[in-house]
Amino acid sequence: MPVGTLGSVKGVSQDVLEDLGVQILLGNTYHLYLRPGVDVVRRMGGLHGFMAWERAILTDSGGFQVFSLNELRKVSEEGVTFRSHLDGSSHFLSPEGAMEAQIGLGADIAMAFDECTEYPAEATRARASMEMTLRWAARSKKYFDEHKNEVPWKSSQVLALSSQEKRDRKRLQPSAVSRQEKQVLRSAQDDNSEKGLDGQTQALFGIVQGGMDRELRRESALRTVEIGFPGYAIGGLSVGEPRELTREIVESTLEHLPKDTPRYLMGVGTPEEIALYARMGVDMMDCVLPTRAARHGLLFTSEGRVSIKQARYAEDRGPLDPACSCGVCRRYSRAYLRHLYSANELLAQVLNTVHNLHFYLSTMRSVRESMRSAL
Ligand SMILES: [Zn+2]
């Protein structure tokens, strides 16, 4: 899942994301809660309507970002008091508040509010944190079940339809427009009645914590499954621990999560890591790495990492990655990309991001294909 922190994957528009084959992206509740605010997004038809994105979206609970504020937060059983990184204003986020926000944002998948245990943590601290995450998971689920019908999906479908209509209008001859429009409208109405759109709700996923302790992870997994969710995430990793430890904890946690529900590893990783974890049984991952690295001129290629700012590329006529089929590699030279980056052109960020996203998505496509052919 590419990360679209503020309802935008930085540097690339939604139509480019569609062309790249992005099936689902992630929005950050903390950032959207502060700006533009959940109420605005809800009134605009939820995140789908607001950002004109018809494909799937997942929102995090806001917890991870609030916990990364360090100096600006205070945790209690009830929830977390924190100060906005934007203007220092004081806010309070609880399991109930995080659910209310995520229902308002209306992503397809919402995440339970958890406490991301810091690394390193003492055994007693890791257990206390895990126990609180379990209590918060139960509170998240309770609030979600009571309020899930408030998701603003009906209006988002109307917006999605009108954007579809606009595209069709551009594409078609005038005589065909009205017939096509009628078909679009009719199929949308059918969808509504057949699938009972009004009755559909988001999916709430639980999150496993437990620090770097295998036994705590096992207990957290079993007890989270006992609460019961349609999908499970492994949280609290990639927080500064050695990569080998991340791998061990993921492996031992996966054993205790049902294979027939989605298993989501949060905040991971490099192209090598996402391939490794997918083969281990992880179904979903998100990471800012491809997009953030792109904006810093770090590109992932089949031949390894390329730091495009290096002088050695100044007159390099070759494509960024000869094995890549993305539009950037098919069209531009390394020399041009290096120039754009050195001159601080906006297009550098756009093109670099397009390539890195394509590289990540094609990494996952080839993992899926090799897993399918191994069956
Ligand atoms: Zn490329």
Side-chain angles (χ1 to χ4, degrees):
M1 293 180 282
V3 176
T5 302
L6 276 161
S8 143
V9 176
K10 291 188 196 310
V12 283
S13 61
Q14 277 70 319
D15 53 319
V16 173
L17 296 173
E18 285 163 2
D19 290 345
L20 284 168
V22 174
Q23 296 172 331
I24 176 169
L25 51 80
L26 182 142
N28 287 125
T29 297
Y30 166 79
H31 289 282
L32 292 161
Y33 164 91
L34 291 178
R35 194 171 52 184
V38 172
D39 286 340
V40 171
V41 177
R42 182 194 286 117
R43 286 195 294 269
M44 298 306 294
L47 213 38
H48 286 282
F50 187 44
M51 64 183 284
W53 176 256
E54 294 165 35
R55 297 184 185 175
I57 305 174
L58 178 148
T59 47
D60 64 6
S61 70
F64 182 78
Q65 251 117 14
V66 169
F67 287 106
S68 344
L69 293 171
N70 288 323
E71 304 303 310
L72 300 172
R73 65 169 161 86
K74 191 168 170 287
V75 185
S76 69
E77 181 68 31
E78 201 42 43
V80 187
T81 306
F82 64 95
R83 287 191 180 279
S84 157
H85 73 287
L86 296 173
D87 59 6
S89 56
S90 185
H91 300 268
F92 178 71
L93 205 54
S94 62
E96 293 78 14
M99 292 308 104
E100 186 186 11
Q102 289 185 86
I103 291 169
L105 295 175
D108 304 85
I109 301 170
M111 300 302 300
F113 193 62
D114 63 327
E115 183 181 44
C116 180
T117 314
E118 66 284 354
Y119 175 81
E122 298 283 329
T124 49
R125 160 69 193 144
R127 166 162 287 280
S129 175
M130 180 205 83
E131 294 280 357
M132 191 162 77
T133 285
L134 284 164
R135 291 190 295 274
W136 285 2
R139 280 168 58 187
S140 294
K141 189 183 174 189
K142 181 171 187 288
Y143 187 95
F144 179 81
D145 284 342
E146 288 166 2
H147 297 267
K148 59 189 176 188
N149 291 318
E150 294 161 20
V151 68
W153 277 356
K154 204 180 171 191
S155 42
S156 92
Q157 287 299 307
V158 174
L159 284 174
L161 174 65
S162 57
S163 70
Q164 178 68 43
E165 276 182 301
K166 272 180 225 152
R167 276 202 296 279
D168 288 337
R169 189 167 291 144
K170 257 189 236 162
R171 209 179 297 142
L172 296 166
Q173 295 297 321
S175 62
V177 167
S178 64
R179 196 170 60 235
Q180 177 72 10
E181 276 182 340
K182 275 179 207 153
Q183 273 170 2
V184 170
L185 277 166
R186 206 176 303 128
S187 69
Q189 282 162 356
D190 289 350
D191 279 354
N192 278 356
S193 54
E194 278 169 22
K195 292 195 227 150
L197 186 71
D198 291 341
Q200 285 204 343
T201 60
Q202 301 164 280
L204 176 66
F205 283 16
I207 304 180
V208 174
Q209 288 287 347
M212 302 302 157
D213 183 317
R214 285 161 166 259
E215 186 47 40
L216 282 185
R217 286 278 169 180
R218 188 186 73 89
E219 191 179 334
S220 175
L222 296 177
R223 289 170 64 188
T224 308
V225 171
E226 213 174 277
I227 295 169
F229 294 95
Y232 298 93
I234 305 174
L237 294 175
S238 282
V239 288
E241 77 281 8
R243 291 295 154 95
E244 183 53 26
L245 185 55
T246 317
R247 198 194 59 75
E248 278 174 31
I249 296 294
V250 171
E251 195 166 31
S252 65
T253 308
L254 280 173
E255 280 174 36
H256 307 292
L257 292 175
K259 284 200 177 84
D260 57 353
T261 60
R263 300 185 291 189
Y264 163 29
L265 177 56
M266 306 179 88
V268 168
T270 63
E272 299 77 24
E273 285 165 350
I274 64 168
L276 171 78
Y277 290 126
R279 285 174 205 283
M280 281 167 55
V282 170
D283 303 294
M284 303 164 65
M285 285 167 271
D286 75 282
C287 193
V288 292
L289 191 56
T291 44
R292 183 176 290 164
R295 297 197 300 280
H296 291 98
L298 181 67
L299 299 159
F300 298 96
T301 77
S302 59
E303 298 170 341
R305 315 282 199 270
V306 167
S307 176
I308 199 66
K309 65 183 149 208
Q310 290 175 358
R312 58 201 274 213
Y313 302 122
E315 295 189 33
D316 190 332
R317 289 168 176 274
L320 174 59
D321 182 353
C324 180
S325 62
C326 88
V328 177
C329 291
R330 275 188 283 133
R331 183 159 193 165
Y332 305 105
S333 65
R334 287 180 164 183
Y336 183 63
L337 294 175
R338 192 239 172 202
H339 158 71
L340 291 179
Y341 187 81
S342 310
N344 206 16
E345 280 294 307
L346 284 179
L347 188 57
Q349 305 206 351
V350 176
L351 298 183
N352 292 348
T353 304
V354 167
H355 166 80
N356 269 1
L357 284 178
H358 184 274
F359 188 80
Y360 263 68
L361 293 162
S362 67
T363 299
M364 288 308 298
R365 267 191 289 270
S366 55
V367 169
R368 280 196 292 274
E369 276 158 26
S370 74
M371 286 166 77
R372 225 175 269 134
S373 61
L375 285 175

